[in-house]
Amino acid sequence: MPSIAVNSTPQKRKLRSHVAASEAPVSSPCKRRFLRRCNNANLLTSVTENEVVSISCGHKQAESDNVAAKMEWHYKDGEQLRVVKEKLHVSTEPSRIACREDEQNMVLEFCKACVEQEKAGSLYICGCPGTGKSLTMERVKGLLLNWATEFTSLKSWFGGGELSLTLPYVWLILADELDYLITKDRAVLHDLFMLTTLPFSRFILIGVANAIDLADRFLPRLASLNCKPIVVTFRAYTKDQILRIVQERLSELPYSVFQPQALELCARKVAAACGDMRKALCICRSAVEMLEAEIKESTSKSSTSLEENASSELKTATTSDYMMKHEFDTVRIDHMALSLSKTYRSPVVDTIQSLPLYQQIVLCSSMKHFRGTKKDTILGELYKSYTGICKSSQIQPAGFLEFSDMCRVLNDQGLIKLGQSREDKLKRVTLKVDEADITFALQGIRFFQNCLQ
């Protein structure tokens, strides 16, 4: 069994006398090259310092650097503002994936079991946008390959090291945005999943998409062939999870940027609307940009005021007081509220909030009916969902003719699309607005608190 020769023994502390006596510089243990020796004599791989990133000494060095580099937060420093916005960018990969440990371990153990048992398998990852599916799969892929390199036979199966003709490959296929492979005859998607059912197949297929029941709708024959993929669902982030992820990103900075109340407001609003982590990061980044714009505006005002009143000491003192009042060193709750308003506030939200209650109920029932996978339905089916919400809320539902008239009003306002048919019950209905806009517009109304869950 090959192993990586990594010296993880902690170094002894040196006395000052020893340091003074030693003249030759001591190289850091992180700078050494470590060798991985395998049973095969000709399989010898060197691991450079760039590859050894998980050794404890590197972690200690990073901690000491952070302690030594305790900087003050200069909100007028453009470089510090750039670093903060870069940390909050969606393309910046975090040092570790938080709040997705269970899903990550589930997928990793599934892949390990397939490799150890020398069998094929398929997995389907689904969930709302911005719930960490793609990021988790990339991390799983790296962990799986690192695990595979610990065994010579597993290295051969994955194509690493010297290839052996007696051992089969194990091919890991990671197909993100799987719904883009859906064709009219669904042949591409069907053939892809059928790879795992072929005799002596060594394929591990992991498909990633947003739709929860993609396999049930587009691949119904897989269940009859007993090859339906295992489904792992990534649920929307909660308020506590969003707050924890943002705080972990910001904890890598040696200064405090946000007021705690501002971050909590962002987490609450995003969790109530959609639970999209990417949207939460964009909102925080926008709040930082608002602070930056406020700083530039106050600076320009102060410079103009000082030039006009340079001869007057009284007016100069007044200008200094003005600056003292308007200089702020962190992103405040009003910055965050304005950023949230810009993100979720739209003419659509204003239109929804101005609707009568019964039309809002029709729109809410449409949102719940189309939630997940359905794109359109007939008016008769939508009326059943509407009556169900009314009965659960203990209010009298409108008749079908009145319901049909309300749908025409919503169609005229561009909130839904109503098709043509001789019978009203057979008209096709499509939701034309985003679910997040409906949720944000109705979440402040007490009646809809249970309906929106």
Side-chain angles (χ1 to χ4, degrees):
M1 181 185 297
S3 60
I4 301 177
V6 178
N7 184 11
S8 60
T9 306
Q11 291 184 333
K12 296 181 178 179
R13 293 186 176 179
K14 294 185 178 181
L15 300 177
R16 294 182 179 177
S17 59
H18 293 170
V19 175
S22 61
E23 297 180 358
V26 179
S27 60
S28 173
C30 298
K31 301 295 183 180
R32 298 176 184 172
R33 293 177 177 265
F34 303 99
L35 299 180
R36 291 186 289 196
R37 300 187 179 275
C38 303
N39 290 336
N40 299 339
N42 56 352
L43 184 57
L44 186 64
T45 308
S46 66
V47 181
T48 63
E49 58 182 348
N50 293 330
E51 291 172 331
V52 183
V53 295
S54 60
I55 302 177
S56 59
C57 62
H59 181 66
K60 292 179 181 178
Q61 182 68 26
E63 285 185 353
S64 62
D65 291 344
N66 287 338
V67 172
K70 282 186 177 179
M71 304 160 53
E72 291 186 2
W73 164 238
H74 299 292
Y75 51 92
K76 291 185 179 180
D77 189 350
E79 179 62 23
Q80 288 191 358
L81 286 171
R82 186 195 63 80
V83 172
V84 172
K85 290 190 288 185
E86 186 178 343
K87 280 290 182 185
L88 295 171
H89 202 277
V90 293
S91 63
T92 303
E93 185 175 348
S95 57
R96 76 179 197 90
I97 300 177
C99 307
R100 286 291 178 247
E101 293 85 357
D102 294 340
E103 293 84 353
Q104 177 179 300
N105 292 335
M106 191 182 305
V107 177
L108 186 61
E109 292 302 323
F110 170 81
C111 295
K112 286 181 179 180
C114 290
V115 173
E116 290 173 346
Q117 299 173 18
E118 302 183 24
K119 68 174 185 178
S122 60
L123 201 67
Y124 178 59
I125 310 297
C126 61
C128 298
T131 52
K133 301 185 296 296
S134 301
L135 184 61
T136 304
M137 290 307 103
E138 287 298 321
R139 188 61 57 90
V140 166
K141 185 173 66 174
L143 292 173
L144 186 62
L145 292 175
N146 290 337
W147 170 79
T149 55
E150 296 180 3
F151 304 97
T152 305
S153 58
L154 294 180
K155 279 178 67 89
S156 300
W157 291 348
F158 277 90
E162 285 193 341
L163 305 181
S164 175
L165 297 178
T166 59
L167 292 174
Y169 289 103
V170 172
W171 293 95
L172 175 63
I173 303 175
L174 182 58
D176 203 351
E177 303 295 345
L178 194 65
D179 45 357
Y180 281 94
L181 298 178
I182 299 175
T183 56
K184 201 171 263 188
D185 58 356
R186 304 163 188 172
V188 176
L189 203 59
H190 186 270
D191 292 345
L192 187 61
F193 277 95
M194 287 300 292
L195 286 175
T196 61
T197 65
L198 298 176
F200 309 106
S201 174
R202 291 296 182 271
F203 288 102
I204 302 175
L205 174 62
I206 301 178
V208 183
N210 296 332
I212 297 176
D213 58 345
L214 181 141
D216 294 333
R217 287 191 297 126
F218 296 102
L219 302 170
R221 286 189 294 172
L222 293 181
S224 62
L225 296 173
N226 199 22
C227 58
K228 184 179 177 181
I230 300 174
V231 179
V232 179
T233 304
F234 280 58
R235 300 189 178 277
Y237 287 111
T238 63
K239 183 263 295 183
D240 294 333
Q241 290 175 335
I242 293 174
L243 189 61
R244 176 185 167 190
I245 293 171
V246 175
Q247 286 175 342
E248 286 194 2
R249 283 187 176 240
L250 295 173
S251 65
E252 300 175 4
L253 300 173
Y255 35 74
S256 179
V257 183
F258 287 82
Q259 286 183 352
Q261 297 87 347
L263 290 179
E264 186 172 353
L265 175 65
C266 174
R268 285 183 182 277
K269 290 293 185 181
V270 174
C274 56
D276 190 336
M277 192 62 224
R278 293 177 298 187
K279 188 160 287 188
L281 292 175
C282 290
I283 291 170
C284 292
R285 182 183 169 91
S286 176
V288 174
E289 292 173 350
M290 289 177 184
L291 173 64
E292 187 177 12
E294 187 180 80
I295 292 169
K296 291 179 181 179
E297 183 181 358
S298 63
T299 304
S300 62
K301 284 183 179 180
S302 64
S303 61
T304 304
S305 178
L306 287 173
E307 288 176 0
E308 293 177 352
N309 306 301
S311 59
S312 175
E313 295 181 359
L314 178 61
K315 291 184 178 180
T316 303
T318 305
T319 305
S320 301
D321 293 339
Y322 173 85
M323 284 296 298
M324 289 297 293
K325 289 179 182 179
H326 289 81
E327 283 185 358
F328 304 102
D329 55 353
T330 55
V331 178
R332 305 184 308 275
I333 195 169
D334 56 318
H335 294 136
M336 190 64 71
L338 186 58
S339 177
L340 284 164
S341 179
K342 285 179 62 177
T343 302
Y344 290 109
R345 197 76 180 180
S346 65
V348 174
V349 174
D350 295 332
T351 302
I352 296 172
Q353 290 181 341
S354 64
L355 292 173
L357 178 61
Y358 271 86
Q359 293 182 18
Q360 290 177 343
I361 296 174
V362 173
L363 198 61
C364 180
S365 62
S366 303
M367 182 194 70
K368 294 195 70 173
H369 188 81
F370 293 121
R371 180 175 288 171
T373 58
K374 293 183 179 180
K375 294 182 179 180
D376 62 353
T377 186
I378 59 175
L379 199 60
E381 292 295 326
L382 185 60
Y383 181 70
K384 292 179 182 179
S385 300
Y386 163 75
T387 54
I389 289 179
C390 291
K391 289 179 181 178
S392 63
S393 303
Q394 297 181 353
I395 64 173
Q396 183 67 29
F400 182 78
L401 292 178
E402 188 179 351
F403 174 80
S404 180
D405 291 339
M406 289 189 291
C407 289
R408 289 194 190 94
V409 174
L410 297 177
N411 176 73
D412 294 339
Q413 294 181 341
L415 301 177
I416 65 173
K417 182 179 178 182
L418 202 59
Q420 298 294 329
S421 178
R422 293 182 178 179
E423 296 185 23
D424 286 348
K425 289 186 177 182
L426 299 180
K427 288 182 178 179
R428 306 298 300 181
V429 184
T430 307
L431 191 62
K432 299 296 291 182
V433 293
D434 191 20
E435 180 181 337
D437 289 335
I438 301 175
T439 304
F440 186 78
L442 301 180
Q443 63 182 355
I445 304 175
R446 191 169 187 178
F447 174 81
F448 294 101
Q449 289 179 355
N450 295 328
C451 299
L452 295 174
Q453 293 178 358

